[in-house]
Amino acid sequence: QITVDNNNLLYDVELQLDFDSGKFSLLKYSDTAPNDIAELNLPFKLAMDHTAQIGSTGLQIRFSDVTEDSRCLSDTACIWSGQVVIAIDVIRAGKDPEKITLTSPDFYPIIHELSDYKLELLAVQPYPATGTAIKKQDYRVILRVTPLL
């Protein structure tokens, strides 16, 4: 897993090193986490309607909906930056799923405490732009789950 610009995560990355220049070339990558497995303390990307198992915690996180996306278009100047509202299902063994709503007024992280853990919303992608409609299935979130201290 590689983090790019604190906003994009790449998985299954294959790099090539040019020994003469000392530079790496990106040969291939995926922007979707393999097998929807996430590690505690590390950011992970989750697609709409996908569920990630968080390490060996018994905790599962499902990205279930975007209920609002009024963020200012990336190529527009706005008086109000807007917000994005997402729904996350928190699933624990032997318990009913807990639905939580996270609202971002366009700054991150957004933090929600889950008894023993902290869920951080780090980004919602893609960012709206003029002339581009975002389909629900195209949304991705970048999340991180850490233990509460």
Side-chain angles (χ1 to χ4, degrees), residues 33 48 53 61-62 97 115:
M48 176 70 75
Q53 172 69 43
I61 306 292
R62 180 175 183 271
S115 60

Side-chain angles (χ1 to χ4, degrees), residues 118-147:
K118 177 173 62 172
L119 174 66
E120 296 174 81
L121 173 62
L122 303 175
V124 178
Q125 302 169 337
Y127 202 89
T130 300
T132 306
I134 304 171
K135 298 176 187 163
K136 283 215 178 185
Q137 67 265 25
D138 293 337
Y139 278 100
R140 305 287 185 268
V141 291
I142 297 178
L143 303 166
R144 178 174 43 222
V145 176
T146 57

Side-chain angles (χ1 to χ4, degrees), residues 29-90:
Y29 67 92
S30 170
D31 67 351
T32 304
N35 304 320
D36 291 330
I37 295 176
E39 294 299 322
L40 198 61
N41 298 315
L42 292 178
F44 61 96
K45 187 181 284 188
L46 199 55
M48 176 70 75
D49 292 325
H50 283 237
T51 302
Q53 172 69 43
I54 310 302
S56 60
T57 64
L59 188 65
Q60 295 181 334
I61 306 292
R62 180 175 183 271
F63 177 28
S64 58
D65 200 6
V66 174
T67 58
E68 177 187 338
D69 191 352
S70 61
R71 294 176 290 176
C72 182
L73 303 177
S74 61
D75 51 355
T76 306
C78 299
I79 295 171
W80 182 59
S81 62
Q83 64 184 17
V84 62
V85 181
I86 66 164
I88 298 284
D89 298 326
V90 178

